[in-house]
Amino acid sequence: MHDPKFIKLTKSIAKHGQDTPIRVRPVKDALPFEFEIVAGHRRHAACLALDVSTPGGFAIIAMVDAAAGETLHLVRKMYRENDDREPLSAYETGMMFRHWLDAKVFPTHEAIAAETGQSKQNVGKYIALASLPDYVLGAFRDPRVLALRWSTDLAQASEARGTELKPLAEEIAKRKPAAPPEAVFAELIAAVPKRKAGSASASESIKEGNKVLFELSAREGRYGIRLGKHVDKRLRKPLQQDLKEWLKAWLKDHAGASK
């Protein structure tokens, strides 16, 4: 109701009337409802808002779409219209794909990929984005601002830090003014170890207060250090030199004892 485009649409319909009818199709065994919307959900929502604020109500113009009987045909039609008119956000696309799976319109991610021309990997990312916990979505205020490229990191953060992520997300959601989406994303995934397929590495985040100083990972004798984002980049070279000298001395003292 606070979306600028929706407000603009509502004002336009109030001033000029509803130029384009919504399309509906008959439904069975759904009383008291006789029809469901095929196209025009935003126009329908705008008319509902006007119906509440208009003395005597606000009528909506609807057209019965007799060709929308088959669900698969309808889904294909709606997808083309959304893509041609104004592309859905990544979150809305993910919700649509989830509904398709739940309704068994398409049985698998592969089937959705084949129908839409999306890659199987992207279909999975869209669905993962729409499947994020409510508290994660709430941190962004409007889930439509979520970028598809954030899907994997946010899903991993939710899984790895569930108990501590929820209060953080709820606290972010209450901030005024609202933080930019990029800042919310960065804060939610901070200190979450990156996963790699087939990797058995262990990772640990070393913090000072709420800030990550560095992440230490270890795998089969290989060690990695990732500095926190707030650490001055000019410290990298002297740190590398100090680490080299320290490691050399440490191994010299301990190598004999470990034989």
Side-chain angles (χ1 to χ4, degrees):
M1 299 301 289
H2 302 288
D3 181 82
K5 291 183 179 180
F6 180 77
I7 293 172
K8 183 179 179 180
L9 173 65
T10 305
K11 288 182 177 179
S12 175
I13 292 176
K15 183 177 181 180
H16 304 292
Q18 182 191 345
D19 295 327
T20 306
I22 68 168
R23 296 206 313 276
V24 300
R25 69 172 181 173
V27 291
K28 297 179 181 180
D29 304 321
L31 292 176
F33 305 105
E34 298 178 72
F35 302 93
E36 69 176 349
I37 298 173
V38 172
H41 292 82
R42 294 176 75 251
R43 276 167 280 155
H44 178 255
C47 290
L48 283 179
L50 291 171
D51 187 65
V52 173
S53 60
T54 303
F58 191 91
I60 184 169
I61 305 171
M63 176 181 69
V64 177
D65 189 343
E70 184 187 350
T71 301
L72 181 58
H73 170 76
L74 173 61
V75 162
R76 287 170 172 165
K77 192 173 186 178
M78 292 175 70
Y79 182 79
R80 288 196 304 270
E81 288 188 355
N82 280 324
D83 197 47
D84 291 340
R85 186 182 69 242
E86 183 177 346
L88 299 176
S89 68
Y91 171 77
E92 290 169 319
T93 300
M95 288 295 294
M96 179 173 62
F97 290 170
R98 276 187 60 190
H99 289 319
W100 289 359
L101 291 175
D102 293 342
K104 295 180 172 51
V105 179
F106 296 100
T108 62
H109 290 195
E110 290 87 345
I112 293 177
E115 179 66 35
T116 62
Q118 297 279 352
S119 67
K120 177 186 172 183
Q121 182 182 27
N122 272 0
V123 169
K125 287 183 178 180
Y126 280 120
I127 294 174
L129 202 65
S131 303
L132 289 170
D134 290 340
Y135 58 82
V136 173
L137 299 175
F140 291 89
R141 312 290 176 96
D142 184 348
R144 292 176 300 173
V145 302
L146 287 161
L148 182 62
R149 65 181 184 276
W150 299 345
S151 176
T152 302
D153 287 333
L154 287 174
Q156 288 183 6
S158 301
E159 181 180 349
R161 300 180 61 204
T163 54
E164 58 180 304
L165 198 66
K166 184 176 181 180
L168 172 61
E170 292 174 343
E171 188 270 324
I172 293 174
K174 295 177 182 178
R175 292 178 187 172
K176 294 182 179 180
E182 293 79 6
V184 175
F185 167 73
E187 189 166 356
L188 288 177
I189 67 165
V192 177
K194 300 276 185 180
R195 288 186 178 181
K196 292 185 178 180
S199 172
S201 62
S203 180
E204 180 183 11
S205 297
I206 310 302
K207 297 181 179 180
E208 180 69 32
N210 291 327
K211 292 184 177 181
V212 177
L213 293 176
F214 63 94
E215 294 177 19
L216 177 64
S217 59
R219 183 191 180 196
E220 299 177 354
R222 297 180 180 181
Y223 297 85
I225 294 175
R226 183 187 297 273
L227 297 181
K229 293 183 178 180
H230 69 284
V231 177
D232 193 331
K233 293 181 180 180
R234 291 173 293 183
L235 295 176
R236 292 177 180 176
K237 284 188 177 181
L239 174 60
Q240 181 177 341
Q241 183 63 34
D242 288 346
L243 281 173
K244 185 171 66 175
E245 295 298 327
W246 174 85
L247 185 58
K248 181 179 178 181
W250 191 92
L251 288 173
K252 186 177 180 180
D253 290 341
H254 292 78
S258 66
K259 284 184 179 179

